[in-house]
């Protein structure tokens, strides 16, 4: 597909649907099922909060390790190629895992298989995510002043997948792990096929072909430092993600052990959170048109901080569900602001590297949250959540206070 054709398709809803939105939908649903399904499987099998936290760590550390390399490869080879190869690789890995679990449904072989799948799917999923996010950002740049509408649509797709993914994974786990993995395999194959329609992204200069993972991350880090608005927003959201990661890692333990609910109730929380986020994203899409980025982002930061503080002390399951949904919905609004800034500010030929560096920073708190969950007694998790909620509120307050006069957020 030529650059002229890609640009023409990106300007029309039908072109965006086929080249950006449909591939993103298949990839996001596979991502959500893998991310939330594997920890649920570990808890249902072991009933151990320590192993559940450890599984969360094992799921996230390989994802973080691959970001610098993935961003550099996307800049060199293009988003479409990386997206296709990563999705196809995930389909093959999951197919092998499903076969092994079908033959050995329990015991040491099953445990090793599940942990290995957590690492492999994490690596491949993050490669595909960096690629499809790069393609989405290119579409946003072509949309000009409507960039936030494209980003809101992409975030809506992600949240729709989060709405369906945990519930679907939980239901399939009742049938068996192989059933859940088979669906992830089909979705991955579909994403690979749809990736063939993804328009090519701008490539970095030829000398970038010799860059290493460290060089790619260094380029991204330097770009973030040169863009103060992006740097402050990433800092605030990183502190916020520590608390969100803790809610995700400790959620199965809190819901099952503290509130006495089933593992299905854990998936219900994240499905409710995704539904609330979809509403928030739709509202933010129009609010940004009228008010600008900073007021919308600051309002979402305030809601997230208050909801997080309250959720840490929620007296029952229903209030916990509502407050976590409010927290994630507000985080979705801030994510629209972040994605819009990224598409506006980051140079096209450095987007993959800078995206990788920013996501690496944003996701570092997640394995830390898993380690906290593994090391903290279940009865003390509420105190840990409260402490992290206070840190989140301080971080977001300071970040948005510094951003108030930044011209990048005033438009």
């Amino acid at each position: 597909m030529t650059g002229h054709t890609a640009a023409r398709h990106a300007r029309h809803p039908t072109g965006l649907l086929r080249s950006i939105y449909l591939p993103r939908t298949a990839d996001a649903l596979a991502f959500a099922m893998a991310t939330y399904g594997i920890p649920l499987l570990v808890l249902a099998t072991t009933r151990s909060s320590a192993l559940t936290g450890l599984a969360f760590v094992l799921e996230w550390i390989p994802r973080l390790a691959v970001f610098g390399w993935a961003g550099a490869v996307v800049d060199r080879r293009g988003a479409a190629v990386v997206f296709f190869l990563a999705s196809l690789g995930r389909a093959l890995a999951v197919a092998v895992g499903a076969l092994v679990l079908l033959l050995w449904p329990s015991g040491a072989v099953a445990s090793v298989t599940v942990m290995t799948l957590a690492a492999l799917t994490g690596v491949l999923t993050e490669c595909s995510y960096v690629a499809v996010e790069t393609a989405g950002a290119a579409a946003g740049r072509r949309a000009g002043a409507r960039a936030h509408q494209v980003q809101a649509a992409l975030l809506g797709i992600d949240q729709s997948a989060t709405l369906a993914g945990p519930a679907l994974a939980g239901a399939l786990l009742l049938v068996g792990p192989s059933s859940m993995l088979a669906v992830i395999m089909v979705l991955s194959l579909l994403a690979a096929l749809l990736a063939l329609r993804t328009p090519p992204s701008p490539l970095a200069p030829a000398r970038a072909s010799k860059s290493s993972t460290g060089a790619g991350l260094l380029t991204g880090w330097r770009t973030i430092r040169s863009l103060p608005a992006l740097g402050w927003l990433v800092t605030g959201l990183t502190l916020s993600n520590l608390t969100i990661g803790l809610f995700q890692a400790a959620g199965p333990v809190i819901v099952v052990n503290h509130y006495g609910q089933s593992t299905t109730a854990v998936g219900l929380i994240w499905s409710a959170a995704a539904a609330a986020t979809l509403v928030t994203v739709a509202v933010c899409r129009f609010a940004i048109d009228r008010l600008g980025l900073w007021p919308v982002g600051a309002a979402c930061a305030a809601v997230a901080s208050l909801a997080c503080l309250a959720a840490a002390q929620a007296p029952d399951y229903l209030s916990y569900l509502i407050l976590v949904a409010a927290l994630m919905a507000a985080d979705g609004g801030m994510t629209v602001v972040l994605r819009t800034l990224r598409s506006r500010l980051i140079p096209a030929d450095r987007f993959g590297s800078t995206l990788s560096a920013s996501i690496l920073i944003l996701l570092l708190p997640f394995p830390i949250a898993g380690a906290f969950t593994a090391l903290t007694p279940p009865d003390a998790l509420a105190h840990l959540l409260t402490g992290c909620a206070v840190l989140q509120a301080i971080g977001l307050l300071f970040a948005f206070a510094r951003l108030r006069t930044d011209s990048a957020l005033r438009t």
Side-chain angles (χ1 to χ4, degrees):
M1 183 180 291
T2 66
H4 175 73
T5 304
R8 187 179 70 248
H9 281 204
R11 287 194 295 267
H12 292 82
T14 302
L16 282 173
L17 176 65
R18 292 182 301 191
S19 63
I20 302 296
Y21 295 155
L22 285 179
R24 180 64 162 259
T25 299
D27 184 70
L29 188 54
F31 177 98
M33 290 185 65
T35 299
Y36 294 99
I38 291 178
L40 278 176
L41 178 60
V42 172
L43 181 64
T45 303
T46 66
R47 295 289 177 180
S48 169
S49 61
L51 289 179
T52 302
L54 179 60
F56 199 81
V57 173
L58 292 176
E59 195 173 23
W60 278 102
I61 285 180
R63 296 182 181 189
L64 300 180
V66 78
F67 268 116
W69 175 80
V73 170
V74 168
D75 283 344
R76 293 199 305 266
R77 305 301 181 189
V81 173
V82 176
F83 186 31
F84 171 77
L85 293 176
S87 298
L88 183 61
R90 182 177 57 203
L92 295 174
V94 170
V96 172
L99 179 60
V100 172
L101 290 176
L102 188 63
L103 297 174
W104 293 280
S106 61
V109 174
S111 299
V112 171
T113 299
V114 172
M115 293 298 187
T116 303
L117 275 176
L120 285 177
T121 57
V123 167
L124 294 168
T125 295
E126 293 307 333
C127 288
S128 66
Y129 175 78
V130 170
V132 76
E133 185 74 1
T134 300
R141 283 192 295 271
R142 288 190 287 267
R146 294 172 298 154
H148 64 279
Q149 296 181 6
V150 175
Q151 297 304 320
L154 292 175
L155 183 56
I157 290 171
D158 290 345
Q159 293 305 317
S160 296
T162 304
L163 174 63
L168 182 58
L172 290 171
L173 280 175
L174 296 176
V175 180
S178 294
S179 299
M180 182 187 74
L181 294 176
V183 173
I184 297 175
M185 179 194 68
V186 171
L187 290 169
S188 298
L189 284 174
L190 180 60
L193 292 174
L194 291 171
L196 298 176
R197 301 190 64 89
T198 301
S201 57
L203 300 180
R207 64 178 180 275
S209 61
K210 299 182 179 180
S211 66
S212 64
T213 296
L217 287 177
L218 183 60
T219 298
W221 171 245
R222 287 173 175 170
T223 304
I224 293 173
R225 290 186 62 187
S226 69
L227 303 170
L230 182 62
W232 281 112
L233 189 55
V234 167
T235 299
L237 290 179
T238 299
L239 293 175
S240 180
N241 278 353
L242 177 61
T243 304
I244 291 174
L246 192 59
F247 273 104
Q248 290 185 0
V253 180
I254 294 172
V255 172
V256 174
N257 294 348
H258 183 66
Y259 294 125
Q261 302 293 320
S262 67
T263 54
T264 303
V266 181
L268 180 61
I269 288 177
W270 299 113
S271 294
T277 303
L278 280 173
V279 176
T280 301
V281 169
V283 172
C284 287
R285 180 175 179 176
F286 296 101
I288 291 173
D289 283 334
R290 294 178 175 272
L291 303 175
L293 287 174
W294 187 87
V296 173
C300 289
V303 172
S305 299
L306 294 174
C308 191
L309 288 166
Q313 303 296 326
D316 52 44
Y317 172 75
L318 180 59
S319 60
Y320 181 83
L321 181 150
I322 293 172
L323 290 167
V324 170
L327 165 64
M328 297 306 297
D331 180 72
M334 291 188 290
T335 303
V336 173
V337 175
L338 173 64
R339 288 183 171 181
T340 303
L341 272 184
R342 283 196 311 224
S343 66
R344 286 183 181 179
L345 299 180
I346 300 175
D349 62 350
R350 285 177 281 163
F351 190 88
S353 298
T354 308
L355 174 66
S356 294
S358 65
I359 295 178
L360 178 61
I361 296 169
L362 288 168
L363 295 186
L364 278 174
F366 285 91
I368 296 174
F372 282 169
T373 301
L375 297 174
T376 304
D379 293 340
L381 284 175
H383 300 295
L384 179 62
L385 283 168
T386 301
C388 289
V390 172
L391 180 63
Q392 176 203 39
I394 295 173
L396 289 175
L397 175 64
F398 189 79
F400 276 93
R402 294 297 299 263
L403 289 169
R404 185 172 183 178
T405 58
D406 197 297
S407 60
L409 270 79
R410 303 304 298 179
T411 58

